[in-house]
Amino acid sequence: MYPFPSDEWIKAMMQDLNRSQSYKEAAKNWEGDFYFIIEPGGTLTETVVLYMDLWHGECRDAFQVGKVDGMKPAFQLKGPVTVWKKVMTKQLDPMQAMMTGQLKLTGNMAMVMKNVRAAKELVESCTRIPTKFPV
């Protein structure tokens, strides 16, 4: 089990994505790195920032970031850990979470809309990681 959110967890997800043929195909046109910003809840008392460098169906790097202002990724997905857990355990559709403001996505929305399948494969990867949540 990997604790979420953590450096170990995001590295496990990077390995899963890089093994996934369906992600490679779905994200072959994707260009853009991400900050996943997980806000406190449950036993998580501080905001945690995870970074992923996603490029044409490959995750080139992934790690926990010390501060949000350290880098300037193309996209940010932000929300409370309780909402992340619901999405990652398939209790809440990620698109619904974004449309209702439970998760906030910033970045090039046209790129996201052209690559919805890649986003869905990214979420599928999250569900495959053996995860221990702080809530």
Side-chain angles (χ1 to χ4, degrees):
M1 295 283 258
Y2 296 93
F4 179 83
S6 68
D7 192 63
E8 299 84 12
W9 187 91
I10 200 73
K11 283 178 172 31
M13 187 174 165
M14 176 175 76
Q15 290 175 347
D16 182 82
L17 282 177
N18 287 337
R19 284 192 301 260
S20 170
Q21 194 57 44
S22 54
Y23 176 73
K24 278 183 189 12
E25 290 169 17
K28 66 182 178 228
N29 297 319
W30 181 267
E31 295 179 358
D33 53 350
F34 256 99
Y35 267 167
F36 299 106
I37 302 171
I38 301 92
E39 298 169 323
T43 58
L44 184 67
T45 57
E46 293 184 13
T47 297
V48 175
V49 182
L50 303 176
Y51 173 80
M52 287 197 108
D53 180 5
L54 303 171
W55 195 257
H56 295 275
E58 181 187 353
C59 181
R60 299 188 296 191
D61 206 357
F63 51 87
Q64 186 172 337
V65 176
K67 291 195 298 189
V68 174
D69 59 0
M71 303 157 82
K72 301 284 184 230
F75 298 92
Q76 288 189 12
L77 187 59
K78 179 179 185 176
V81 69
T82 51
V83 174
W84 286 93
K85 180 182 180 183
K86 285 180 188 173
V87 169
M88 292 164 56
T89 57
K90 297 185 178 185
Q91 296 173 36
L92 176 63
D93 178 76
M95 294 303 175
Q96 183 183 356
M98 287 183 272
M99 299 301 272
T100 58
Q102 295 176 69
L103 289 176
K104 292 174 184 60
L105 179 66
T106 56
N108 180 343
M109 290 304 141
M111 176 70 134
V112 173
M113 297 317 289
K114 282 193 274 184
N115 291 279
V116 170
R117 205 171 123 239
K120 288 187 181 207
E121 289 295 330
L122 199 65
V123 172
E124 275 301 308
S125 176
C126 289
T127 69
R128 292 191 293 264
I129 310 302
T131 303
K132 182 178 189 301
F133 293 97
V135 290

